[in-house]
């Protein structure tokens, strides 16, 4: 056997397994929008759980971060353009689960089902499904790379959470509660 060929096969297998494990771990996870800025002590063991506000990197008060190691509480996530939201069918003043789907996407049907169940449980939440192929300009602006992608928008039109893949129903309800939904499930 050729050692170069064996090394190439082993390399491809290791890379494939690593990518598969990464996809399994990240699919369906509702994550905060923007890079996570450490707000407390960083513990390198176990899963990473944000312990404070999560903000885009450009919106961190550098002086406060340098002095205290914490991000100030008044940092705000950028609001989306109301015209963009209107083109996508998002009503202003409502918490919205905005789902990007394509016609032949099997996981998109599962996300549609889970989102519809959650919207039925929480009357102040609206589920809007958008065909990604019909809204390519909006998909590019919102940095949507694959379907299904689910964005949670608060009542002010800010994206607070984002998931690719199929989120679990309890995680979706918890993410909506963090986005300002005040009611309890019916």
């Amino acid at each position: 056997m050729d050692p170069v060929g064996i090394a190439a096969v082993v390399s491809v297998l290791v890379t494939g397994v690593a990518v598969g494990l990464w996809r399994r771990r990240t699919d369906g996870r509702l994550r905060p929008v923007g890079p996570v800025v450490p707000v407390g002590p960083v513990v390198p063991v176990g899963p990473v759980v944000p312990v404070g506000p999560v903000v885009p990197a450009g919106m961190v008060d550098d002086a406060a971060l340098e002095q205290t190691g914490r991000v100030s509480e008044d940092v705000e996530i950028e609001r989306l353009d109301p015209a963009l939201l209107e083109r996508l069918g998002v009503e202003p003043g409502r918490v919205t689960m905005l789902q990007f789907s394509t016609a032949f996407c099997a996981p998109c049907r599962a996300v549609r089902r889970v989102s519809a169940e959650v919207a039925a449980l929480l009357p102040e939440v609206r589920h809007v499904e958008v065909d990604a192929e019909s809204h390519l300009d909006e998909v590019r602006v919102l940095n949507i790379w694959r379907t299904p992608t689910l964005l949670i928008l608060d009542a002010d039109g800010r994206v607070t959470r984002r998931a690719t893949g199929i989120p679990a129903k309890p995680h979706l309800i918890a993410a909506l509660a963090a986005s300002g939904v005040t009611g309890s499930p019916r």
Side-chain angles (χ1 to χ4, degrees), residues 71-112:
V71 178
S72 65
E73 298 291 329
D74 59 345
V75 175
E76 198 171 292
I77 298 172
E78 184 177 343
R79 230 178 245 174
L80 293 180
D81 180 25
L84 172 89
L85 294 176
E86 185 178 329
R87 287 192 305 269
L88 294 173
V90 175
E91 295 174 5
R94 293 198 61 184
V95 175
T96 305
M97 295 179 290
L98 181 60
Q99 176 185 345
F100 288 89
S101 302
T102 50
F104 299 104
C105 168
C108 295
R109 290 190 289 274
V111 173
R112 179 184 313 126

Side-chain angles (χ1 to χ4, degrees), residues 14-154:
V14 168
T15 303
V17 168
V19 169
L21 291 173
W22 174 77
R23 286 283 300 263
R24 175 187 261 182
R25 182 181 170 121
T26 59
D27 265 7
R29 178 166 290 157
L30 286 153
R31 63 190 187 283
V33 175
V36 175
V37 177
V39 180
V42 178
V43 180
V45 179
V48 176
V49 178
V51 292
V54 177
V55 296
M59 304 193 68
V60 176
D61 181 6
D62 292 331
L65 183 60
E66 199 172 293
Q67 291 175 356
T68 64
R70 297 187 60 81
V71 178
S72 65
E73 298 291 329
D74 59 345
V75 175
E76 198 171 292
I77 298 172
E78 184 177 343
R79 230 178 245 174
L80 293 180
D81 180 25
L84 172 89
L85 294 176
E86 185 178 329
R87 287 192 305 269
L88 294 173
V90 175
E91 295 174 5
R94 293 198 61 184
V95 175
T96 305
M97 295 179 290
L98 181 60
Q99 176 185 345
F100 288 89
S101 302
T102 50
F104 299 104
C105 168
C108 295
R109 290 190 289 274
V111 173
R112 179 184 313 126
R113 182 185 49 79
V114 169
S115 297
E117 289 173 4
V118 170
L121 286 173
L122 302 169
E124 61 272 4
V125 175
R126 183 164 181 249
H127 174 239
V128 175
E129 187 173 5
V130 174
D131 179 29
E133 296 169 309
S134 300
H135 294 88
L136 290 178
D137 292 335
E138 291 82 1
V139 164
R140 287 183 190 108
V141 167
L142 294 172
N143 202 22
I144 306 295
W145 286 90
R146 57 183 270 229
T147 58
T149 296
L150 184 70
L151 305 177
I152 296 181
L153 306 171
D154 66 7

